[in-house]
Amino acid sequence: MRKNIVAGNWKMNKTLQEGVALATELKTILADAQPNCEVIIGTPFIHLATVVEVVKGSVIKVSAENCADKESGAYTGEVSAAMIKSTGAEYCIIGHSERRTYYHETYDILKEKVRLALANDLKPIFCIGEVKEEREANKQNAVVKAQLEGSVFNLSAEDFGKIVLAYEPVWAIGTGLTATPEQAQEMHAYIRSLIAEKYGKKVAENCSILYGGSCNSSNAKGLFANPDIDGGLIGGASLKANDFKAIIDAF
Ligand code: PGA
């Protein structure tokens, strides 16, 4: 059966020292808790190796927020999937809307990132979601379908089984506007139906689909109560240990 997951996405926040302090605090407050979900923290590259050490012996797993679309070589400033793997991180967020928008990551670039993450034994957390104008024009289903077809529906069923999806309506990210539980459930069910069409019912049933976009301790319970919402990808509310813990407690 698929896993419930609460994953943090720190984005470009926290110095190394602040990140270590946050990971340490989270480890402490989760020490006696037995979360009913997998707990992941997504950190900037420079934190990965240190944070992996900090959270050792706890339930917390570590994710990168991005990886290069090239294997290795003369790509100044880039960080490869193999380098991420060597830190002990297990996951890699790929296709976040901020990467698509600000860094012009296309379907083909993201397809390559997913391929390289999988080749290096990292589990991609692949993000999809429509912008406000697309939702207003009722094009959200077509957008999400194209994003899946463009970057992950090329995978074998076995490889697709290793990825986690995150539906993040762009209009809800960092805006305080959350999709209603009904809007999110409707989209998650649609995404699962697309997976079933492509890979069959079993693969679809086993795929964890997270919701992201202004998810916080007040709305997490209502969102996670839906049959096709298997957890959350949390930005702002993952930057404070107690807020993040309260979302984990929603399960
Ligand atoms: P937010 O970000 O929770 O701050 O809206 C979510 C995300 O971008 O993953």
Side-chain angles (χ1 to χ4, degrees):
M1 240 346 245
R2 60 185 181 255
K3 282 187 225 169
N4 290 328
I5 298 172
V6 172
N9 174 13
W10 291 1
K11 308 193 180 184
M12 196 173 72
N13 292 294
K14 307 284 176 191
T15 62
L16 178 58
Q17 291 74 21
E18 289 164 352
V20 165
L22 175 56
T24 306
E25 195 186 349
L26 194 62
K27 182 182 177 178
T28 308
I29 62 172
L30 286 178
D32 298 323
Q34 274 160 351
N36 288 319
C37 62
E38 188 159 310
V39 177
I40 303 170
I41 49 180
T43 83
F45 292 131
I46 64 131
H47 299 62
L48 289 174
T50 316
V51 166
V52 163
E53 287 306 313
V54 168
V55 301
K56 259 197 185 133
S58 78
V59 297
I60 305 164
K61 300 196 153 93
V62 180
S63 176
E65 300 174 10
N66 178 31
C67 69
D69 63 334
K70 303 287 191 297
E71 204 164 316
S72 67
Y75 301 100
T76 302
E78 288 295 299
V79 176
S80 72
M83 292 173 188
I84 294 167
K85 181 66 185 177
S86 75
T87 67
E90 292 177 53
Y91 287 88
C92 185
I93 298 170
I94 296 177
H96 192 281
S97 66
E98 288 149 18
R99 304 283 330 165
R100 293 179 192 259
T101 307
Y102 306 139
Y103 302 98
H104 314 293
E105 295 191 350
T106 61
Y107 294 172
D108 283 341
I109 290 173
L110 297 175
K111 187 198 274 184
E112 201 50 19
K113 291 188 178 201
V114 169
R115 186 186 73 75
L116 287 163
L118 287 168
N120 286 283
D121 201 21
L122 288 169
K123 289 173 235 165
I125 301 173
F126 187 72
C127 305
I128 53 181
E130 80 286 355
V131 301
K132 188 161 159 268
E133 294 71 28
E134 292 162 341
R135 166 72 57 172
E136 283 167 357
N138 201 28
K139 287 189 178 144
Q140 63 273 16
N141 286 8
V143 169
V144 161
K145 184 168 191 243
Q147 290 170 333
L148 290 169
E149 284 173 345
S151 307
V152 292
F153 274 3
N154 58 299
L155 296 172
S156 66
E158 191 191 343
D159 276 345
F160 188 86
K162 296 173 190 160
I163 77 172
V164 171
L165 293 179
Y167 169 60
E168 300 203 300
V170 181
W171 46 271
I173 296 178
T175 57
L177 284 176
T178 321
T180 64
E182 294 73 27
Q183 282 173 322
Q185 165 57 28
E186 191 182 10
M187 177 56 90
H188 284 226
Y190 174 67
I191 293 167
R192 207 178 297 287
S193 77
L194 292 174
I195 303 168
E197 228 168 78
K198 173 81 192 165
Y199 294 106
K201 209 168 155 54
K202 189 154 169 255
V203 173
E205 281 305 315
N206 283 331
C207 183
S208 298
I209 309 174
L210 315 183
Y211 168 80
S214 300
C215 183
N216 57 38
S217 56
S218 322
N219 58 34
K221 223 178 181 150
L223 287 159
F224 299 172
N226 289 282
D228 289 297
I229 302 179
D230 308 310
L233 182 55
I234 319 298
S238 73
L239 295 173
K240 289 204 179 110
N242 283 321
D243 291 353
F244 193 54
K245 165 77 160 49
I247 296 173
I248 293 166
D249 287 343
F251 273 119

